[in-house]
């Protein structure tokens, strides 16, 4: 098809693409003739836009607020588009590709932006129109080229729909929506009658003290709900009966000496240290021996909470080449690490996300370890400079304990990710990080939608079983505003 020759060509192109929308046979459908299009193009495409929006809402958006936000963003982007002023390389277009992987049909819906385009283009000269459409078609072509290898080469790409949507203001919001969920799905081990106890994970959580009994429980409980077989909690003797009382599911070992803990570690598939650990200086020898053990045995290892406090306090003794290790700081823990490792003061005053990302990359490189930085956007940064960002909608509540769920689930995901023969440690860290972030944020959001400001971490934990089941049956109807990308 020749593109860009003028007004009639636009109509042909539109009718060609619209035929896909109305037909389920995708590429095999015959394009309707341009004369079959209604005379009043503007109203026609406005109606198509509305219907697509409704379709989007009915499939993926649940709450009224989300509907408003989505519609608002979209309309604002479309309405505020300064057509004559915008440089061509920022040309406003939007397209959605719906891929039904199971039947391998591809349907292309170039709808609501086409409605916009049509209205605008009608009023402008043919020359500009021609250039615009060339750009438009190039993007469409590229998107198809990108989508097919994903389908063909990634067997785990289970998603039913892959959305690609581009607008100036909400650019790429939806691009990796389902890929992010797919990371999570891909890591879940297949349950078969041949599995034996322990195959899905034997995980150690080291933490729990008189003051903090909730934190190790949250970490351990998230691991249990995700499907690990055995969870050991190592904590101080006074915390042990309390933690045991929370759940008979957990194996709780009182005592924090290296000599009592280390002999039990060779049977563990991943180790998480820090949630509720406390800051008793007598714990430092345990951490030092643990670092050496993890480095030698290459066990998936997560350092969180007070574990990070010890690392900051003894930064000069933190070993290099901890290839299996992920540090999971919140902003306060991050600022402590930056201060001790990079000499950076006042990190808490930084409000600019890209500056934080830059610092996280520097910290990761300097410490030679992966950093999973929690915040409004979660960042997974590996020492080679790769960054994964996850900004899936999460809870608006910042109640304590959500980071403990991150640390626990991350430990288990690291074990699962590394078992995948295609993964080296770097890719395992990114895959596990994205999965953990998606899990905590989505479970948190669901809990928040139900309970509002009364939401707390046990409520988030209660969302995990349903969430896992929904993902496995791909019944996700409420994923909105996901932005996860790797640079
Ligand atoms: N139920 C349980 O058992 C739970 C136990 N937990 C466990 O508790 C242990 C300690 O962890 P932690 O994160 O509370 O201690 P820490 O690193 O000193 O940070 C607190 C300090 O940072 C500050 N601050 C906070 N945010 C800030 C911000 N955005 N910007 C700036 N400042 C900010 C805040 O200052 P404040 O507002 O109080 O003046 C405060 O001084 C750890 O083992 C963890 O696992 C938790 O998991 C929760 C559930
Ligand atoms: N401002 C934010 N907006 C949205 N999500 C956030 C925000 N801050 C943190 N989160 C999410 O909440 C989760 C926990 O992060 P948080 O910063 O609360 O950890 P933490 O302080 O270590 O938690 P804990 O209370 O367990 O110690 C992370 O997965 C992160 O994605």
């Amino acid at each position: 098809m020749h593109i860009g020759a003028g007004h009639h060509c636009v109509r042909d192109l539109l009718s060609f693409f619209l035929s896909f929308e109305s037909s389920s046979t995708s590429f095999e459908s015959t394009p309707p003739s341009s004369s079959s299009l209604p005379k009043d193009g503007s109203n026609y495409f406005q109606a198509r836009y509305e219907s697509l929006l409704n379709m989007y809402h009915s499939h993926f958006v649940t709450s009224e607020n989300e509907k408003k936000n989505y519609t608002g963003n979209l309309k604002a982007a479309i309405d505020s588009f300064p057509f004559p002023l915008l440089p061509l390389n920022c040309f406003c277009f939007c397209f959605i590709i719906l891929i039904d992987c199971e039947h391998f049909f591809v349907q292309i819906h170039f709808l609501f932006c086409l409605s916009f385009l049509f209205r605008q283009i009608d009023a402008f000269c043919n020359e500009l129109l021609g250039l615009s459409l060339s750009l438009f078609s190039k993007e469409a072509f590229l998107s198809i080229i990108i989508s097919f290898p994903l389908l063909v080469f990634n067997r785990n790409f289970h998603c039913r729909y892959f959305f690609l949507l581009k607008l100036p203001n909400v650019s790429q919001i939806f691009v990796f929506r389902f890929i992010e969920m797919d990371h999570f799905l891909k890591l879940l081990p297949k349950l078969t009658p041949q599995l034996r106890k322990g195959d899905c994970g034997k995980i150690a959580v080291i933490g729990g003290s008189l003051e903090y009994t909730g934190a190790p429980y949250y970490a351990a409980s998230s691991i249990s709900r995700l499907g690990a077989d055995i969870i050991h909690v190592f904590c101080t003797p006074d915390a042990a009966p309390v933690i045991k009382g929370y759940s008979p599911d957990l194996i709780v070992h009182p005592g924090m000496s290296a000599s009592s803990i280390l002999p039990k570690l060779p049977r563990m598939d991943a180790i998480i240290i820090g949630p509720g650990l406390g800051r008793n200086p007598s714990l430092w020898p345990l951490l030092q021996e643990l670092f050496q053990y993890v480095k030698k045995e290459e066990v998936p290892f997560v350092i969180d909470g007070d574990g990070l406090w010890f690392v900051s306090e003894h930064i000069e003794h933190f070993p290099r080449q901890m290839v299996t290790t992920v540090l999971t700081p919140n902003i306060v823990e991050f600022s402590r690490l930056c201060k001790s490792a990079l000499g950076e003061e006042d990190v808490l005053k930084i409000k600019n996300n890209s500056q934080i990302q830059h610092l996280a990359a520097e910290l990761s490189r300097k410490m030679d370890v992966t950093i999973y930085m929690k915040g409004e956007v979660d960042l997974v940064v590996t020492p080679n400079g790769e960054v994964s960002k996850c900004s899936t909608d999460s809870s608006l509540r910042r109640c304590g304990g959500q980071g403990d769920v991150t640390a626990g689930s991350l430990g288990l995901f690291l074990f699962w990710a590394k078992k995948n023969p295609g993964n080296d440690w770097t890719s395992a860290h990114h895959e596990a990080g994205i999965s953990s972030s998606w899990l905590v944020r989505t479970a948190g959001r669901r809990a928040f939608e139900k309970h509002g400001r009364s939401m707390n971490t046990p409520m988030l934990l209660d969302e995990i079983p349903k969430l896992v089941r929904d993902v496995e049956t791909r019944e996700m109807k409420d994923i909105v505003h996901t932005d996860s990308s790797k640079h």
Side-chain angles (χ1 to χ4, degrees), residues 425-436:
W425 281 109
T426 299
S427 48
H429 286 178
H430 284 283
E431 260 182 28
I434 291 170
S435 304
S436 172

Side-chain angles (χ1 to χ4, degrees), residues 154-430:
N154 185 353
R155 282 160 193 269
N156 292 309
F157 191 80
H158 293 298
C159 65
R160 211 168 233 281
Y161 301 109
F162 173 57
F163 273 63
L164 182 54
L165 181 143
K166 199 163 179 191
L167 286 167
N169 297 347
V170 286
S171 131
Q172 294 178 349
I173 279 179
F174 302 95
V175 174
F176 293 109
R177 164 201 309 263
F178 289 90
I179 297 178
E180 197 174 77
M181 179 176 99
D182 208 54
H183 275 291
F184 176 90
L185 184 60
K186 188 172 140 185
L187 294 186
L188 298 178
K190 204 168 163 44
L191 297 179
T192 65
Q194 286 72 42
L195 285 178
R196 71 175 190 84
K197 185 167 67 183
D199 283 351
C200 286
K202 302 183 287 291
I203 312 295
V205 176
I206 306 178
S209 51
L210 181 61
E211 296 88 345
Y212 307 125
T213 54
Y217 166 74
Y218 295 147
S221 188
S222 63
I223 296 167
S224 164
R225 286 164 206 236
L226 278 171
D229 293 330
I230 310 264
I231 302 112
H232 294 263
V233 177
F234 298 88
C235 59
T236 60
D238 40 17
V242 182
I243 298 171
K244 232 176 189 12
Y246 294 148
S247 167
D249 186 34
L250 308 177
I251 301 164
V252 184
H253 305 267
M256 294 296 263
S257 67
S259 60
S260 66
I261 295 177
L262 280 152
K264 301 196 177 83
L265 295 184
R267 297 181 62 213
M268 305 296 155
D269 297 314
I271 303 167
I272 296 109
I273 187 162
L277 184 68
R279 295 174 188 178
N280 189 328
S282 67
L283 291 168
W284 176 237
L286 165 67
L287 270 93
Q288 275 184 302
E289 286 200 41
L290 195 58
F291 294 162
Q292 293 312 324
Y293 171 81
V294 165
K295 184 173 168 175
K296 182 159 168 269
E297 300 300 328
E298 299 211 341
V299 195
F301 188 46
V302 177
I303 310 182
D304 184 45
D306 291 326
L308 294 172
W309 184 84
F310 279 103
V311 172
S312 305
E313 289 293 297
H314 301 275
I315 199 84
E316 67 285 4
H317 297 301
F318 188 73
R320 309 285 295 179
Q321 291 179 328
M322 298 283 283
V323 290
T324 65
T325 302
V326 182
L327 313 189
T328 53
N330 60 20
I331 184 68
V332 178
E333 292 150 352
F334 181 71
S335 71
R336 279 194 208 112
L337 288 168
C338 286
K339 189 172 173 192
S340 52
L342 307 173
E344 279 289 338
E345 305 279 348
D346 296 335
V347 172
L348 285 177
K349 290 189 185 141
I350 301 176
K351 297 286 171 243
N352 180 322
N353 275 342
S354 63
Q355 238 176 307
I356 293 281
Q357 181 177 327
H358 180 74
L359 268 180
E362 217 179 313
L363 185 66
S364 169
R365 194 180 43 76
K366 183 82 189 285
M367 291 184 71
D368 194 21
V369 74
T370 297
I371 306 284
Y372 176 132
M373 164 78 199
K374 294 170 288 190
E376 194 176 342
V377 174
D378 289 341
L379 300 173
V380 181
V381 187
T382 38
N384 66 355
E386 275 180 54
V387 181
S388 291
K389 291 187 201 175
C390 311
S391 63
T392 306
D393 274 0
S394 67
S395 156
L396 291 180
R397 283 275 287 130
R398 302 268 62 82
C399 54
Q402 295 180 78
D404 302 318
V405 178
T406 308
S409 56
L410 179 65
L412 180 61
F413 283 134
L414 283 176
F415 165 57
W416 286 344
K418 191 57 180 71
K419 270 213 315 200
N420 182 341
N423 273 342
D424 59 11
W425 281 109
T426 299
S427 48
H429 286 178
H430 284 283

Side-chain angles (χ1 to χ4, degrees), residues 6 18 55 102 230 305 398 408 459:
L18 283 169
M55 188 192 84
E102 279 163 23
I230 310 264
R398 302 268 62 82
M459 292 167 186

